[in-house]
Amino acid sequence: MKTIEQAIEKLDYKGYLDVEIPQGIDLITEIKKLKEEKNAVILAHYYQSREIQDLADYLGDSLQLARAAAQTDADMIVFCGVHFMAEAAKILNPTKKVVLPDTKAGCSLADSCSAEGLRGLREQHPNAIVVSYINCDAGVKAESDIIVTSSNAEVIINSLPQEQEIIFAPDRNLGRYLNQVCNRNMILWDGACIVHEAFSLERIAQQMTENPKAKLIAHPEAQEDLLKFAHFIGSTSRLLDYVVEDEAEEFIVATEEGILHEMAKLAPNKKLIPALVQDESCNCSECFYMKLSTLEKLYLCMKYELPEITMDEELRVKALASINRMLELSEKIK
Ligand code: SF4
């Protein structure tokens, strides 16, 4: 059996504390107890597993969680999401301890863009301002002028002068979509989300034939050919609102399947069909990184307050400026 000291030694390599948990303990009860004892707050993204969503104090998309992280007065922020989101919580609320159950919970989109690469692109376009999607690391945030999320990107881009040259990073699909709806010609970084690029148009067309009353709803990180067929395109929270408010009773949902848990709670009488992906052996649109959080890792992370997110202060302050710009501008769409 590994001791906690041995587990801490391997923490950077493993990304989580690999310690045996005593058999028979009720993890949900223990996590709730730790939350009280440590004055901790659990923030969870809609793409987390169902049991973690049910334990969260705040459940939301990137923008909602960034706001919650900035405003909390808890002593410890336990972030159930991916690494760049926990980093954003630390950037926004540096005096709090921020822990993440598994630091290997990355993101294909964030990994596609480096600060050096973005700086290089900016040097080629010295008059451009850099607008980056929140799915990027602290280094990229520090190189950016404004951060956006899929909830507020359209409003923020529309608030910039029409003649302003803009570099948009890192998601090419979201960038292409925004170019269309905002009538822009932004220079796009060539990154993508592996989950939203995995949908199969052919199989979704079949689902639409089999469910003729269903509306197809999609996240703008999905590819252009799929978005063309969607009845509604929106951020995770907008998709949620749409399902609740729209009169249709059936929806084919083309985003990460974790959102279906909250959708089913808020719209219990509606039929929700996860959109199919290219891999026929899987059928699921799960984000591998998001699902690295487990109840076991969450429990250990809260008990030992590790792994902790730390950051160089100069980098944090630079990254904060671009996030603050987003929070100021997005107040308009609250
Ligand atoms: S769903 Fe896509 S964008 Fe979101 S964390 Fe996973 S890989 Fe990144």
Side-chain angles (χ1 to χ4, degrees), residues 133-144:
Y133 188 31
I134 198 164
N135 296 30
C136 60
D137 68 22
V140 169
K141 287 187 175 78
E143 286 296 327
S144 305

Side-chain angles (χ1 to χ4, degrees), residues 47 82 106-109 135 193-196 221 256 287 289-290:
Y47 297 171
V82 294
C107 167
S108 68
L109 192 48
N135 296 30
C193 160
I194 45 168
V195 176
H196 289 93
E221 283 175 30
E256 212 274 357
C287 174
Y289 302 108
M290 283 282 183

